[in-house]
Amino acid sequence: MTTNNIQPWQQNTIVHHSQILMLSFERWTGHTLLNCTGSIEEVTKALFEADFALVSHGIEADPIFNYGNRKALQLWELFWEDFTSMPSRQSAQEVVQKERDRLLAETTIKGFTRYSGIRISSSGKRFHIEKGMI
């Protein structure tokens, strides 16, 4: 789901970011994010094509998504370029913003936290996230 022919997993910055995601997840949780071997590019592609949604956002005051694998792009019904320019707060209903803020604060302290909740696609469809981890 990109507007050009270059897939996100083919971009050098995303290859590097994917490595950071994998290493960070393992560091904080003690588990591997994806059981995959191969070249860096093959692992990056496998992460992008995984059967679970994976997203990340920056550390700005109003964080912007900086990664979403194919499953996430499908759930949010967005192209890569649109997803990676969207403030992550827009993915949650306004009524759950305080809970989202609390979870982000908890993550800052602990390194990660688990959650479940409802998110909103670009067309307004609601979907449930279960066994999520921030």
Side-chain angles (χ1 to χ4, degrees), residues 72-97:
L73 297 177
Q74 290 169 344
L75 286 169
W76 270 275
E77 301 179 308
L78 289 168
F79 289 106
W80 172 265
E81 295 83 359
D82 299 322
F83 187 78
T84 57
S85 63
M86 182 173 87
S88 61
R89 67 177 158 71
Q90 291 180 355
S91 70
Q93 295 175 311
E94 209 170 301
V95 297
V96 297
Q97 287 295 325

Side-chain angles (χ1 to χ4, degrees), residues 11-29:
Q11 301 171 27
N12 289 336
T13 55
I14 300 307
V15 170
H16 180 71
H17 189 75
S18 295
Q19 290 176 316
I20 292 170
L21 290 173
M22 301 262 300
L23 292 171
S24 178
F25 186 86
E26 187 167 354
R27 174 181 174 230
W28 287 106
T29 68

Side-chain angles (χ1 to χ4, degrees), residues 55-73:
V55 303
S56 67
H57 64 66
I59 57 171
E60 305 90 352
D62 188 11
I64 306 293
F65 283 122
N66 55 22
Y67 182 88
N69 67 356
R70 186 173 310 282
K71 183 73 169 180
L73 297 177

